[in-house]
């Protein structure tokens, strides 16, 4: 069965992880959860946009030596310890995924979710490490990543606010079109269904 990447990654975000992160940031728990979810989707779509097998392989090799990777229990979908190592370790990976757009994406996460800029930056680092660590551990997912992201693109994009979608190079048209088509279909049914 094909894993839904975003759902698989969300399983690692327990209430324990949120409370440990909040020791650093003092944000509303619900906003912090939303920021992580948005960041996970953003990183996945960043990987989709800049997909390069060689770079992905380099990033997964790089993450294997990180302190973050050693603190993840993949079998039980748990992050054992949350300390500040992800602030530095995630930044290097973000540079490879987003290049010049990283600062704009961070600010947009801050604005769209309603958290501090510093929190948005660190949550994006954290999410990047989680995504790349997951890909390192699940080599079979990594080999078909582009195809998998292509299949799940619409669901992932639905979790990302419009401003971030635009920075990533996606329009909101797909989602709007889908809603309008279903509304149109209901109108036609109502019109002809009563005859």
């Amino acid at each position: 069965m094909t894993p839904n990447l975003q759902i698989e990654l969300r399983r690692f975000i327990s209430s324990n992880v949120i409370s440990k992160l909040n020791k650093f940031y003092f944000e509303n728990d619900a906003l912090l959860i939303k920021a992580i979810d948005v960041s996970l989707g953003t990183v996945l779509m960043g990987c989709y946009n800049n997909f390069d097998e060689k770079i992905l392989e380099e990033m997964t090799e790089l993450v294997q030596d990180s302190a973050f990777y050693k603190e993840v229990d993949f079998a039980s979908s748990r992050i054992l310890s949350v300390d500040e190592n992800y602030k530095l370790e995630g930044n290097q990976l973000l540079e490879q995924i987003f290049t010049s757009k990283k600062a704009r994406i961070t600010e947009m996460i801050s604005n769209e979710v309603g958290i501090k800029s510093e929190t948005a930056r660190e949550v994006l680092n954290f999410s990047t490490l989680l995504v790349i660590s997951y890909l390192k551990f699940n080599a079979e997912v990594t080999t078909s990543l582009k195809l998998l992201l292509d299949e799940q693109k619409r669901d992932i994009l639905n979790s990302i606010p419009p401003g971030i979608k635009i920075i990533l190079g996606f329009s909101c048209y797909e989602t709007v079109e889908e809603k309008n088509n279903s509304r149109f279909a209901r109108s036609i049914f109502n019109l002809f269904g009563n005859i």
Side-chain angles (χ1 to χ4, degrees):
M1 189 172 119
T2 306
N4 183 311
L5 288 176
Q6 201 163 14
I7 291 173
E8 290 292 316
L9 291 164
R10 282 179 191 147
R11 289 187 180 145
F12 289 90
I13 311 305
S14 65
S15 57
N16 189 33
V17 168
I18 295 299
S19 68
K20 285 179 179 175
L21 284 172
N22 249 339
K23 286 181 184 175
F24 305 124
Y25 306 117
F26 309 106
E27 299 278 1
N28 176 297
D29 285 359
L31 290 180
L32 194 55
I33 291 167
K34 183 176 180 184
I36 292 171
D37 194 40
V38 167
S39 296
L40 290 172
T42 302
V43 171
L44 288 171
M45 287 294 94
C47 289
Y48 176 82
N49 280 345
N50 299 321
F51 187 78
D52 180 323
E53 286 181 31
K54 189 170 185 265
I55 291 174
L56 186 61
E57 187 178 326
E58 287 172 9
M59 287 193 298
T60 55
E61 291 306 315
L62 193 63
V63 83
Q64 182 178 355
D65 299 326
S66 71
F68 183 91
Y69 185 79
K70 293 172 183 141
E71 292 298 329
V72 181
D73 178 1
F74 293 97
S76 62
S77 299
R78 285 181 48 219
I79 299 173
L80 304 174
S81 175
V82 178
D83 52 36
E84 296 186 84
N85 58 37
Y86 60 86
K87 290 182 179 185
L88 295 173
E89 294 175 343
N91 202 35
Q92 189 176 3
L93 300 172
L94 270 174
E95 291 289 338
Q96 293 185 337
I97 296 171
F98 295 116
T99 58
S100 62
K101 295 181 180 179
K102 186 182 77 164
R104 287 176 55 212
I105 289 170
T106 299
E107 277 310 306
M108 194 56 76
I109 290 172
S110 171
N111 294 340
E112 296 271 2
V113 176
I115 58 174
K116 296 183 287 254
S117 295
E118 179 196 357
T119 306
R121 183 175 55 251
E122 305 309 340
V123 163
L124 194 57
N125 284 345
F126 175 86
S127 299
T128 302
L129 276 168
L130 181 56
V131 169
I132 303 301
S133 296
Y134 180 83
L135 293 175
K136 172 62 184 169
F137 183 77
N138 295 293
E140 68 281 356
V141 171
T142 308
T143 56
S144 61
L145 182 64
K146 182 74 171 174
L147 184 62
L148 198 58
L149 288 174
D150 204 36
E151 289 173 7
Q152 299 175 13
K153 182 169 70 170
R154 178 170 283 164
D155 290 336
I156 295 170
L157 284 172
N158 282 335
S159 71
I160 300 173
I164 300 168
K165 284 183 205 176
I166 291 167
I167 292 173
L168 292 173
F170 297 100
S171 71
C172 302
Y173 178 71
E174 243 178 279
T175 313
V176 171
E177 180 184 32
E178 187 178 275
K179 288 178 184 173
N180 287 343
N181 283 344
S182 64
R183 196 176 303 135
F184 178 72
R186 276 196 305 269
S187 299
I188 294 293
F189 178 77
N190 289 339
L191 180 67
F192 294 109
N194 294 330
I195 296 176

